[in-house]
């Protein structure tokens, strides 16, 4: 093995991290950085990711910085460092890192930087800004071919409720990746919410054929069949899904609930037990404990139900349905004080997201940097800056961005261009088309036989 080849260090380090051999991975990355003279950005970035996973935020920052010193155009380091800051609540720092990354990678634009800004804007409830970043990202060569950014955009628009735009974006997802299991699943669930049961079934069926080992698609399809009264088909699908991935907790929970509602209590208990065994330390297991507790509550085994609710909130302290169901149990037993205490505990476990005051993902006016230091005037100035920012229809052409003091960026008003509009005519064209899914070759038909050949190219 070439000791100066960074790929070996990165690959082996990831394997060690998966096996939770953290100290060995650290030493490996340290050796790799020394062997490559500190010039391999991939080693620094992988090491930074390891430290971020271990919640060593300060060390991770230093390592991301080292990666960018080695190569300032390394998009993964800009992206990873921004995610680290966002998880710490430093939204402005995350925004600035991603925007500097966009500028640094101008020669080879990276869609994930645009996507990160768009998702943060959506999280901050700046829907228009999110659309603008998604639009910018999908204009890049890699972005237009990335199903991930189209899928993220479709998910945001699904919350806004315009089915024409959502279907258009999901179609663009499948054009970028016709086998995307995430697209088939989320689009199928969207059609289900729209009441288009046939379209939902077609999407989930096609998604399953293209991704036969994905249990989440099978589970969603099974629940759709169960809601339509086809319990036999639902059971068949759930059993198939549990065989495909016995460690997929939600499929055991769904199957147990189906049997519970059908009156097969002993079978439901056995399935819930299988779900607990599948992955007893995951948060998903809280759903199994909660459903099992409700079953025991309905059949009078109150003490066992309490123990199961206790397991549910221990597995996922932020599971509101588990706390609420437990409180309802205590109320039915006449223990109103205990129910009130449980609801209080539930509120204490919830984390409320508070968006930074008027922090947009678009560049701020650099003239405001000094105003932030003056307590009596800053609120008015920020409101004025926000009004100006909202007048911009989208992020401006990146070549006009200029780095200013304290990492604030702006564009000259004379250089601002009107925004491109989402081509709703094209979206309507996609919307009016019947749902046509990609053709699938059934490999079992040609097993042991010559596959038919298409016309040869001249």
């Amino acid at each position: 093995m070439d000791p100066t080849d960074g790929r070996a260090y990165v690959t082996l380090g990831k394997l060690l991290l998966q096996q939770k051999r953290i100290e060995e991975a650290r030493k490996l990355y340290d050796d790799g950085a020394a062997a490559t003279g500190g010039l391999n950005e991939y080693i620094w970035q992988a090491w930074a990711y390891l430290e971020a996973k271990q919640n060593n935020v300060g060390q991770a920052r230093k390592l991301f910085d080292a990666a960018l010193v080695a190569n300032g155009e390394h998009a993964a380091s800009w992206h990873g460092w921004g995610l680290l800051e966002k998880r710490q609540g430093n939204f402005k720092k995350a925004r600035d890192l991603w925007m500097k990354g966009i500028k640094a990678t101008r020669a080879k634009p990276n869609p994930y930087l645009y996507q990160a800004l768009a998702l943060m804007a959506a999280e901050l409830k700046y829907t228009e800004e999110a659309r603008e970043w998604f639009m910018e990202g999908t204009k890049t060569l890699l972005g237009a071919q990335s199903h991930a950014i189209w899928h993220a955009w479709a998910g945001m628009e699904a919350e806004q409720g315009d089915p024409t735009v959502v279907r258009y974006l999901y179609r663009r997802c499948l054009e970028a990746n016709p086998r995307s299991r995430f697209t088939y699943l989320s689009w199928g669930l969207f059609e289900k919410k729209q009441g288009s049961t046939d379209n939902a079934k077609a999407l989930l069926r096609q998604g399953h054929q293209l991704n036969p080992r994905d249990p989440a698609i099978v589970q969603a399809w099974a629940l759709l069949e169960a809601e339509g009264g086809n319990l036999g088909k639902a059971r068949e699908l759930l059993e198939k899904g549990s065989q495909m991935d016995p460690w997929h907790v939600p499929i055991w929970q769904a199957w147990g609930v189906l049997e519970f509602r059908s009156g097969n209590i002993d079978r439901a208990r056995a399935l819930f037990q299988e779900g607990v065994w599948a992955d007893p330390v995951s948060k998903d297991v809280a759903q199994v404990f909660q459903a099992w507790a409700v079953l025991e509550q309905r059949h009078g085994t109150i003490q066992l139900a309490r123990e199961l609710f206790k397991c549910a909130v221990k597995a996922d302290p932020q599971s509101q349905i588990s706390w609420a169901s437990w409180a309802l149990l205590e109320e039915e037993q006449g223990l109103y004080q205990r129910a009130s205490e449980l609801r209080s505990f539930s509120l204490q476990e919830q984390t409320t997201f508070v968006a930074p005051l008027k922090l947009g993902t678009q560049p701020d006016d650099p003239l405001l940097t000094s105003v932030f230091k003056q307590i009596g005037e800053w609120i008015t100035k920020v409101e004025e800056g926000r009004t100006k920012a909202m007048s911009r229809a989208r992020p401006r052409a990146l070549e006009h961005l200029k780095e200013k003091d304290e990492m604030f960026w702006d564009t000259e008003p004379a250089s601002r261009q009107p925004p491109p509009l989402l081509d709703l005519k094209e979206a309507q064209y996609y919307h009016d088309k019947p749902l046509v899914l990609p053709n699938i070759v059934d490999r079992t038909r040609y097993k042991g036989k010559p596959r038919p050949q298409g016309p040869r190219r001249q």
Side-chain angles (χ1 to χ4, degrees), residues 17 31 52 63 108 131 201 236 367 377:
L17 178 59
D31 292 343
L63 293 167
K108 294 178 65 176
R131 285 193 183 105
K201 285 184 181 178
E236 177 187 339
L367 296 176
E377 300 178 11

Side-chain angles (χ1 to χ4, degrees), residues 110-141:
N110 187 286
Y112 289 102
L113 295 170
Y114 294 94
Q115 181 180 336
L117 281 163
L119 291 174
M120 187 171 77
E123 186 177 349
L124 294 170
K125 307 303 181 185
Y126 299 148
T127 305
E128 288 302 323
E129 290 185 16
R131 285 193 183 105
E132 294 153 14
W133 285 115
F134 278 128
M135 212 175 297
E136 290 286 344
T138 53
K139 285 180 181 179
T140 65
L141 180 61

Side-chain angles (χ1 to χ4, degrees), residues 153-171:
W153 190 357
M156 187 199 76
E157 295 295 349
E159 296 180 0
Q160 305 305 313
D162 188 340
T164 302
V165 174
V166 175
R167 289 178 178 126
Y168 164 71
L169 293 170
Y170 277 132
R171 286 181 187 274

Side-chain angles (χ1 to χ4, degrees), residues 24-37:
E24 292 179 61
R26 283 192 178 111
K27 185 178 186 307
L28 177 72
Y29 289 139
D30 193 10
D31 292 343
T36 57

Side-chain angles (χ1 to χ4, degrees), residues 309-320:
F309 278 131
K310 189 183 298 183
C311 292
V313 298
K314 184 176 181 180
D316 184 5
Q318 296 185 0
S319 174
Q320 295 186 27

Side-chain angles (χ1 to χ4, degrees), residues 107-396:
K108 294 178 65 176
N110 187 286
Y112 289 102
L113 295 170
Y114 294 94
Q115 181 180 336
L117 281 163
L119 291 174
M120 187 171 77
E123 186 177 349
L124 294 170
K125 307 303 181 185
Y126 299 148
T127 305
E128 288 302 323
E129 290 185 16
R131 285 193 183 105
E132 294 153 14
W133 285 115
F134 278 128
M135 212 175 297
E136 290 286 344
T138 53
K139 285 180 181 179
T140 65
L141 180 61
L142 292 178
Q145 301 170 357
S146 169
H147 73 282
I149 192 168
W150 289 111
H151 183 265
W153 190 357
M156 187 199 76
E157 295 295 349
E159 296 180 0
Q160 305 305 313
D162 188 340
T164 302
V165 174
V166 175
R167 289 178 178 126
Y168 164 71
L169 293 170
Y170 277 132
R171 286 181 187 274
R172 294 302 301 266
C173 287
L174 292 184
E175 288 174 5
N177 181 2
R179 305 181 69 90
S180 172
R181 58 194 179 100
F182 302 105
T183 301
Y184 281 107
L185 177 60
S186 56
W187 192 359
L189 295 176
F190 174 77
E191 294 294 347
K192 175 184 172 183
K193 290 181 181 178
Q194 298 298 309
S196 304
T197 306
D198 292 340
N199 279 353
K201 285 184 181 178
L203 286 160
L204 294 172
R205 186 183 300 112
Q206 182 86 338
H208 172 58
Q209 288 177 295
L210 289 169
N211 303 276
R213 304 296 299 173
D214 188 279
I217 293 177
V218 173
Q219 179 194 350
W221 185 7
L223 293 177
L224 193 61
E225 295 289 355
E227 291 177 9
N230 193 354
L231 298 183
K233 180 66 173 177
R235 285 192 180 94
E236 177 187 339
L237 289 169
L238 289 167
E239 183 176 5
K240 185 177 181 180
S242 66
Q243 292 171 354
M244 288 190 301
D245 186 356
W247 297 276
H248 187 69
V249 175
I251 210 161
W252 293 108
Q253 189 264 359
W255 193 1
V257 169
L258 174 67
E259 299 298 348
F260 172 27
R261 291 174 177 171
S262 301
N264 303 322
I265 305 305
D266 290 338
R267 179 62 173 153
R269 286 186 175 116
L271 291 168
F272 287 142
Q273 182 63 74
E274 291 286 349
V276 173
W277 284 336
D279 193 354
V281 298
S282 73
K283 282 190 173 183
D284 288 338
V285 80
Q287 302 172 17
V288 179
F289 282 125
Q290 187 269 337
W292 192 354
V294 171
L295 181 151
E296 300 300 345
Q297 176 186 353
R298 300 272 178 87
H299 288 78
T301 48
I302 303 301
Q303 189 55 40
L304 177 55
R306 284 194 179 104
E307 293 301 319
L308 290 167
F309 278 131
K310 189 183 298 183
C311 292
V313 298
K314 184 176 181 180
D316 184 5
Q318 296 185 0
S319 174
Q320 295 186 27
I321 189 171
S322 297
W323 287 107
S325 300
W326 190 0
L328 186 61
L329 166 68
E330 301 299 350
E331 280 187 349
E332 290 179 356
Q333 301 303 308
L335 302 175
Y336 298 104
Q337 181 64 30
R338 178 59 175 159
S340 178
E341 291 174 357
L342 290 170
R343 291 193 175 96
S344 177
F345 290 147
S346 174
L347 291 174
Q348 293 174 20
E349 293 293 344
Q350 304 310 313
T351 56
T352 303
F353 171 73
V354 179
L357 180 64
K358 297 299 182 183
L359 172 63
T361 55
Q362 292 180 330
D364 290 322
D365 191 330
L367 296 176
L368 298 181
T369 54
S370 61
V371 181
F372 280 118
K373 301 176 183 178
Q374 302 178 26
I375 298 177
E377 300 178 11
W378 78 279
I379 295 179
T380 304
K381 294 295 183 181
V382 171
E383 289 293 340
E384 292 176 357
R386 178 64 181 157
T387 302
K388 292 179 182 178
M390 290 304 292
S391 67
R392 304 175 191 173
R394 66 182 182 92
R396 297 299 169 266

